[in-house]
Amino acid sequence: MNNLISFIEKNKEKHLEELFEFLRIPSISSVPDNALHVRECALWLLENIKNSGIEDCRIFETEGHPIVYGQWLGAGDSAPTVLIYGHYDVQPVDPIELWKTKPFEPSIRNGKIYARGSSDDKGQVFTHIKAIESHLSTFGRLPINIKLLIEGEEECGSNHLEDFIKDNKELLRCDTVLVSDTEWFAEGLPSICYSLRGISYIEVFVTGPNRDLHSGTFGGAVDNPIFVLANMIAKLKDEYGRIQIPGFYDDVLELTIEEREGFKKLPFSEKEYCDDLEVDGVNGEFGYTTLERTWARPSLDINGFNGGYIGEGAKTVLPSTASAKISMRLVPHQNYYDISEKITKYLMSIAPPTVKVKVNTLHGGNPVLVPRDSCGVKAAMLALESAFGTKPVFMREGGSIPIVSTFLSELESPTVLMGLGLPSDNIHSPNESFAIDNFYGGIKSSAIFFDEYSKICKTD
Amino acid sequence: MNNLISFIEKNKEKHLEELFEFLRIPSISSVPDNALHVRECALWLLENIKNSGIEDCRIFETEGHPIVYGQWLGAGDSAPTVLIYGHYDVQPVDPIELWKTKPFEPSIRNGKIYARGSSDDKGQVFTHIKAIESHLSTFGRLPINIKLLIEGEEECGSNHLEDFIKDNKELLRCDTVLVSDTEWFAEGLPSICYSLRGISYIEVFVTGPNRDLHSGTFGGAVDNPIFVLANMIAKLKDEYGRIQIPGFYDDVLELTIEEREGFKKLPFSEKEYCDDLEVDGVNGEFGYTTLERTWARPSLDINGFNGGYIGEGAKTVLPSTASAKISMRLVPHQNYYDISEKITKYLMSIAPPTVKVKVNTLHGGNPVLVPRDSCGVKAAMLALESAFGTKPVFMREGGSIPIVSTFLSELESPTVLMGLGLPSDNIHSPNESFAIDNFYGGIKSSAIFFDEYSKICKTD
């Protein structure tokens, strides 16, 4: 074990340099024009996995961005198998002008690696690859069988991974799925996440007149699509923050008293939360705390609104169209197909007859609740504690990793969410970062996890 | 008189070619980067005015775009003076993809000149310059004194013209202001407009958190600026189309019974109106007809809304900011300073404490009501009838020419709105056009107007 840790220590710089190479590739997956960069990133990753000692690796093409797969099965059938899932694609970078340093030119400031994807998810998934390399270089083997499944479409809905999993159940068969794509509750407080929110993401288009009109000539007699859409959006929630879509809360699993107690024990300061965001207060569903609202209650956000003239100066136009991107975060046991249908029906029902409304479902994923008592979770608790010197806490997360629910349903494998991010990482925002200590510590905790897992989790 | 008309007939092609040159210059005034083209247009116009026989002409610089001025005072002090106002700047062209031919490459299809500015206002103001040229070439003189005031900022608020007029009252002194920047009620139905709506144009900015946030991590606990702004916008009107800004209707002059009767007599078909716009119905302030709503009732439109991610695909962002451009059309005797103040106060009052709101006034202008019995109007009626062979009707217009109210207050001169546009001209929209017959006929009616005016309107 000491040899393993000292190998990791010795290779710190090399591992960081490799991560920087990984981060320099602008693998934004939601912009079709950027597909070549995403592929470039997949090929770089494949090469790195091979160089890390996993020769049995390859690219799986999809109708979208490629999937990177690798496996080391040298521990034999008697040993358990862990499937490590992550993604190499990243979020868009706009508003670009708010980045202190360029999003794809990684740089280090006060102990943090700044770059798009540093925390979500390149930095996190890369710790496992380096942990595997450390085992193989030190012992020539791993204590368990490992499978790597790293996709390039997580930030645009994992549109093709679900089918891939359904079509490759045998290839992907495993005892546990290990995912590092979540956050710690706080800096210095390792955390195991046991629930993720799902998502339903739609786009609504409102069309009024067949052309842009002069707001002087027509204003007052013709419905304005922006005004109409704003009105429809205003009808999505009431003044208590309750979402007004009929049947929206039907399948919501209420929090247990134990969970609410647990949340209250966590070191959370609403004042610090607001100060960090520079807002004068939080606001959300009446009757719930901030942690409950973001972890265990569904939410609805307008992610984008576009209509009329948004350039400099004034244009007196009554626009022909307006559109909005709307996403809802879902909690157990809501289903995203069901919710997407319900919001579509509702939007249609509240649209005035003077406009045409079209709703597109952009993507979705179901919420997840994972067992807290699996042997995988136990191994993760031990690994994090010995790597970071602090006992981990249990938490939920407001974000979504849609595919995790597919692992449960298709592979029937429990998932362990052993995240390494920090709340201050600014994922999906300008100046995304990843703490260097969590990168190095993450390589250790992953390496130790393999060891602990091999002891605790025997195959039956 | 016959010589005058035959000169105009003989020079049709030359005049059209000159108009095309005028239209080719992309004098969009609302985009700061475009200032050089606006100046290029002013210089071209100055040259054309000089070549038309008005040697006493010059550019007046402003802090914005230049003003083109010219005068011919050869009729002497005993003769009356008409000030012709117009503008050489044009609206932006987006959405550019909807133009059948390029906006600044004029082309003729089925009797119409297609180009940005063809109707609003280059084509209309140019008829007067060619009418002056026709008089001077035919008779070596004009029957009245003429002053030309052609600005380059009408489409962005005429920000510097008001001060210019106040500072140059003596230079601009006149008996009547003649403006051709309005529309006929219908093709083949020459119209004199006696009222214009004013405008108050503001932009509102809503800022929530200090950075874009992950909608999964924060969604449900932090107010979303787009949602907040949509809610504020929804509160601007009630379900009867009544604007909810306190005191908004205080100064509104109600329609007279005679006006409402007059409007009803005009050949207006709501079905054709809707069919043209491809909407299933009109909508507006309860209790008023479409003509009343657009001509004599104030209105409120959202001209642009911008917030969050509006690119392709999905981005799960809870944005930091959202903004909207909002304009209100005003009717006599509303005042735009007063209305801009009232909406600003109202928006501030309905904003939740969780966001910061900033309101900028982009521009404004007061509504206008001109006397229907002035000698200028009489001369215009005769000129239009003899040039187009049809007795003109009286109408109002929903659009704004803010500066007309300044002519009344500062120069104490009645304005004559002798427009030449058609409702089908698509001003402010893609594929703007100007009927060739109205261009040629407009040169005649302008030339005849000078003559009639000199007979009817004696200086006292």
Side-chain angles (χ1 to χ4, degrees), chain B residues 332-397:
Chain B
H333 299 294
Q334 288 179 298
N335 174 289
Y336 81 87
Y337 292 102
D338 173 60
I339 293 298
S340 300
E341 257 181 34
K342 282 173 172 166
I343 188 173
T344 301
K345 218 173 279 168
Y346 180 61
L347 287 171
M348 293 299 185
S349 74
I350 60 176
T354 48
V355 299
K356 295 165 197 65
V357 175
K358 189 162 129 280
V359 179
N360 290 349
T361 300
L362 287 185
H363 72 80
N366 285 328
V368 175
L369 198 61
V370 299
R372 276 181 275 185
D373 55 5
S374 70
C375 64
V377 168
K378 290 196 183 80
M381 300 285 275
L382 292 167
L384 286 170
E385 183 162 4
S386 74
F388 292 97
T390 310
K391 196 176 188 331
V393 295
F394 276 115
M395 64 180 284
R396 294 173 69 153
E397 189 157 298

Side-chain angles (χ1 to χ4, degrees), chain A residues 226-236 350, chain B residues 230 233-234 237:
Chain A
I226 300 176
F227 186 81
V228 167
L229 183 51
N231 267 278
M232 289 165 65
I233 286 171
K235 292 197 174 90
L236 289 171
I350 60 176
Chain B
I233 287 171
K237 290 189 209 175

Side-chain angles (χ1 to χ4, degrees), chain B residues 123-417:
Chain B
Q124 295 200 50
V125 73
F126 201 58
T127 59
H128 298 299
I129 298 169
K130 296 303 99 180
I132 292 166
E133 178 192 294
S134 307
H135 268 279
L136 293 174
S137 311
T138 310
F139 310 113
R141 67 184 308 285
L142 284 152
I144 56 173
N145 298 309
I146 294 282
K147 295 177 177 179
L148 287 171
L149 177 65
I150 308 173
E151 70 158 319
E153 299 190 297
E154 200 271 346
E155 299 296 2
C156 60
S158 299
N159 294 330
H160 303 96
L161 190 62
E162 189 170 344
D163 288 344
F164 178 79
I165 292 167
K166 288 176 178 167
D167 299 344
N168 296 278
K169 288 187 183 180
E170 191 43 43
L171 177 77
L172 303 176
R173 193 165 48 72
C174 60
D175 301 288
T176 293
V177 177
L178 177 63
V179 180
S180 295
D181 194 16
T182 50
E183 284 177 3
W184 289 3
F185 184 77
E187 197 169 341
L189 188 59
S191 314
I192 302 275
C193 181
Y194 69 93
S195 182
L196 296 162
R197 290 198 292 187
I199 184 168
S200 163
Y201 199 124
I202 62 131
E203 188 160 19
V204 53
F205 300 86
V206 173
T207 303
N210 55 5
R211 60 183 187 269
D212 284 359
L213 304 176
H214 185 301
S215 64
T217 311
F218 292 91
V222 180
D223 263 335
N224 180 311
I226 301 177
F227 187 80
V228 167
L229 182 52
N231 268 278
M232 290 166 65
I233 287 171
K235 292 197 173 90
L236 290 171
K237 290 189 209 175
D238 68 10
E239 72 254 67
Y240 302 104
R242 293 274 299 181
I243 292 158
Q244 297 298 294
I245 300 161
F248 183 83
Y249 292 95
D250 287 356
D251 303 320
V252 170
L253 178 70
E254 291 297 331
L255 280 155
T256 64
I257 291 151
E258 292 67 25
E259 282 179 293
R260 300 187 87 163
E261 296 298 324
F263 293 177
K264 285 199 185 67
K265 288 200 189 75
L266 293 167
F268 176 77
S269 155
E270 197 145 279
K271 184 180 179 317
E272 283 169 25
Y273 186 85
C274 290
D275 290 349
D276 170 50
L277 302 176
E278 291 177 60
V279 291
D280 289 342
V282 293
N283 191 30
E285 188 182 3
F286 182 81
Y288 293 92
T289 67
T290 295
L291 290 183
E292 290 165 356
R293 285 166 171 172
T294 51
W295 286 357
R297 298 299 299 175
S299 63
L300 182 149
D301 269 289
I302 314 303
N303 306 103
F305 193 125
N306 184 20
Y309 180 69
I310 59 177
E312 271 184 284
K315 187 183 180 192
T316 51
V317 62
L318 193 169
S320 170
T321 65
S323 68
K325 295 176 194 276
I326 304 176
S327 67
M328 290 143 292
R329 297 289 168 165
L330 313 179
V331 299
H333 299 294
Q334 288 179 298
N335 174 289
Y336 81 87
Y337 292 102
D338 173 60
I339 293 298
S340 300
E341 257 181 34
K342 282 173 172 166
I343 188 173
T344 301
K345 218 173 279 168
Y346 180 61
L347 287 171
M348 293 299 185
S349 74
I350 60 176
T354 48
V355 299
K356 295 165 197 65
V357 175
K358 189 162 129 280
V359 179
N360 290 349
T361 300
L362 287 185
H363 72 80
N366 285 328
V368 175
L369 198 61
V370 299
R372 276 181 275 185
D373 55 5
S374 70
C375 64
V377 168
K378 290 196 183 80
M381 300 285 275
L382 292 167
L384 286 170
E385 183 162 4
S386 74
F388 292 97
T390 310
K391 196 176 188 331
V393 295
F394 276 115
M395 64 180 284
R396 294 173 69 153
E397 189 157 298
S400 311
I401 311 177
I403 210 61
V404 172
S405 65
T406 311
F407 292 132
L408 287 172
S409 58
E410 298 302 320
L411 303 181
E412 288 155 17
S413 313
T415 296
V416 176
L417 297 166

